[in-house]
Amino acid sequence: MTFLLLAFILATPSAQADRGARAETRQHRRAYSQLQEIADGYWRAVRWDKVAEAAVFLGDPDDRIDWLAEGTVEGTFSYRSATVIHLEMGPGLVDDPDGYERRATVLVEIEGFDSDQVLKRQVRVQRWYKQGGSWYVVAGERVGVSRQ
């Protein structure tokens, strides 16, 4: 009798919704953790001017090839540090026109020297997307966009 009651409770729509919500939460946490690790690795490569390592995370093949051909991260700018300070990740996407599984925004605090040798600190915003189980930088945002 107890087994039947438990089976009935677990079969109710609210129990199924709870399981679905927990599964979505687990997927969100996994995707967030994966993005954190990948973004940290990407910015570590950018900070040390390792273009080939960083280019792996550019989803657009043309953008990747252009960056590899240039051979430098950001011209005359010399990074002193680059730290991911915040991630904003959207929900899982279904039937996205671009084929993305998720979208995210990464905030990065950078410090470095430009050609004038003055230390500059700024926060940059960079958009990422998940496709095929991995995260990639949106085309044109290799080093993010300066946030005023």
Side-chain angles (χ1 to χ4, degrees):
M1 177 79 170
T2 306
F3 176 72
L4 289 175
L5 181 59
L6 182 60
F8 176 73
I9 291 171
L10 292 177
T12 62
S14 64
Q16 291 172 352
D18 287 345
R19 279 194 303 271
R22 285 193 304 269
E24 173 60 28
T25 300
R26 280 191 303 274
Q27 288 174 346
H28 187 83
R29 285 182 184 156
R30 272 194 299 270
Y32 187 91
S33 177
Q34 182 187 30
L35 175 59
Q36 178 74 49
E37 186 177 326
I38 287 173
D40 284 340
Y42 174 84
W43 279 97
R44 191 171 27 261
V46 168
R47 187 260 184 257
W48 292 105
D49 204 28
K50 295 182 177 182
V51 177
E53 286 181 28
V56 171
F57 300 105
L58 299 179
D60 180 4
D62 293 333
D63 196 23
R64 186 180 316 132
I65 290 169
D66 289 346
W67 205 19
L68 288 168
E70 291 169 16
T72 184
V73 169
E74 196 174 359
T76 61
F77 190 82
S78 175
Y79 285 86
R80 181 173 171 209
S81 70
T83 307
V84 174
I85 57 174
H86 185 72
L87 304 171
E88 284 288 328
M89 188 174 61
L93 301 172
V94 179
D95 298 328
D96 184 72
D98 297 318
Y100 298 167
E101 298 165 25
R102 286 187 189 268
R103 295 176 194 263
T105 301
V106 175
L107 291 177
V108 181
E109 182 179 58
I110 64 158
E111 277 187 352
F113 299 95
D114 210 342
S115 57
D116 58 6
Q117 294 302 308
V118 174
L119 181 65
K120 295 180 181 177
R121 176 181 291 154
Q122 58 185 249
V123 173
R124 293 189 181 172
V125 179
Q126 186 180 50
R127 293 176 300 149
W128 288 67
Y129 63 92
K130 187 175 185 182
Q131 187 174 41
S134 191
W135 287 96
Y136 300 97
V137 175
V138 169
E141 296 192 16
R142 299 175 195 165
V143 291
V145 178
S146 184
R147 188 166 182 266
Q148 308 302 359

